[in-house]
Amino acid sequence: NAGVMQNPRHLVRRRGQEARLRCSPMKGHSHVYWYRQLPEEGLKFMVYLQKENIIDESGMPKERFSAEFPKEGPSILRIQQVVRGDSAAYFCASSLVPGQGATAEAFFGQGTRLTVV
Amino acid sequence: KQEVTQIPAALSVPEGENLVLNCSFTDSAIYNLQWFRQDPGKGLTSLLLIQSSQREQTSGRLNASLDKSSGRSTLYIAASQPGDSATYLCAVQAGTALIFGKGTTLSVSS
């Protein structure tokens, strides 16, 4: 049973380019979360999605960032016109059910390390 | 606003020692508390999840406790080994998101 799969593991983009980060949740999980880990900072929540729906995007920057989780295929975190401050590790997590209880246990992928040059 | 604090930020111990990592949170209205391990340049590995109705969870040499009323959790590692060297993260869930502490970086020397 494969865990949460993220690709690419490392991504280098020049300022102004677009970055696309992909996440396939664990088998049977339909709840996906994106987190960002800036250097010397803790992990910060960005967005929570279910299939075809954004449920909570309270942690997403207002501009340039978007996320989707289509009916078929992986979840995508898209960053347009990247700037140096976007350099960070981006982690995806999935759970069976959100909220309270053991089924809410979150499992994380290996992350995508974005470097903007 | 929920805040999670982990003390100490870093810890160095010789192999074989028992040790305790601390986590505190400001709002006791949580669903779950989860402990993770993160190795350098890697993802997060879930170690233990404690539901709000539980007091502790155990897995092998790891034991995590939860005291919701005081806003505290501890992760106890017995008979530490060099392979335990990593950053340990505590996270609470009160809604959609996990709120993370900044972690305790543990170094176990042989």
Side-chain angles (χ1 to χ4, degrees):
Chain A
N1 184 15
V4 178
M5 304 300 291
Q6 290 187 248
N7 67 80
R9 293 288 306 277
H10 300 275
L11 183 62
V12 179
R13 286 286 177 264
R14 295 185 183 280
R15 281 179 294 171
Q17 290 184 321
E18 178 180 289
R20 280 180 170 248
L21 288 62
R22 296 176 187 77
C23 169
S24 295
M26 282 183 71
K27 187 175 181 181
H29 288 190
S30 59
H31 301 268
V32 166
Y33 314 80
W34 286 92
Y35 290 81
R36 178 165 65 174
Q37 188 173 40
L38 290 163
E40 307 305 320
E41 296 280 333
L43 279 118
K44 304 291 185 187
F45 167 77
M46 299 181 75
V47 62
Y48 160 45
L49 310 102
Q50 293 181 34
K51 285 284 187 182
E52 300 185 277
N53 289 300
I54 297 173
I55 307 301
D56 181 354
E57 56 182 348
S58 58
M60 286 278 270
K62 300 297 181 199
E63 297 177 348
R64 303 186 297 108
F65 285 72
S66 62
E68 62 177 10
F69 190 15
K71 187 176 180 180
E72 301 291 338
S75 175
I76 306 287
L77 179 67
R78 182 181 178 206
I79 311 172
Q80 294 178 290
Q81 300 175 337
V82 297
V83 300
R84 289 225 170 103
D86 297 332
S87 296
Y90 292 82
F91 290 96
C92 171
S94 72
S95 69
L96 189 58
V97 182
Q100 201 164 8
T103 51
E105 186 172 4
F107 295 89
F108 280 73
Q110 293 291 298
T112 293
R113 278 147 186 86
L114 172 65
T115 301
V116 179
V117 296
Chain B
K1 179 187 170 187
Q2 178 75 267
E3 291 183 2
V4 179
T5 303
Q6 291 188 247
I7 294 173
L11 182 63
S12 293
V13 300
E15 183 177 6
E17 271 205 11
N18 302 323
L19 57 100
V20 174
L21 307 181
N22 297 293
C23 172
S24 61
F25 46 96
T26 54
D27 187 341
S28 62
I30 64 170
Y31 291 154
N32 306 307
L33 185 143
Q34 204 167 346
W35 282 94
F36 295 88
R37 168 185 173 140
Q38 185 176 25
D39 292 280
K42 300 290 178 66
L44 280 70
T45 301
S46 178
L47 297 174
L48 290 163
L49 178 144
I50 310 178
Q51 299 176 52
S52 61
S53 58
Q54 297 174 325
R55 297 284 293 186
E56 65 178 341
Q57 283 285 347
T58 298
S59 175
R61 294 183 294 108
L62 305 179
N63 176 277
S65 68
L66 174 63
D67 184 343
K68 262 184 55 174
S69 60
S70 67
R72 294 177 189 273
S73 175
T74 61
L75 179 67
Y76 175 82
I77 303 176
S80 57
Q81 303 171 358
D84 294 330
S85 299
T87 296
Y88 291 80
L89 298 167
C90 166
V92 299
Q93 182 171 20
T96 299
L98 287 168
I99 310 296
F100 282 85
K102 291 190 176 181
T104 294
T105 299
L106 172 65
S107 176
V108 181
S109 56
S110 56

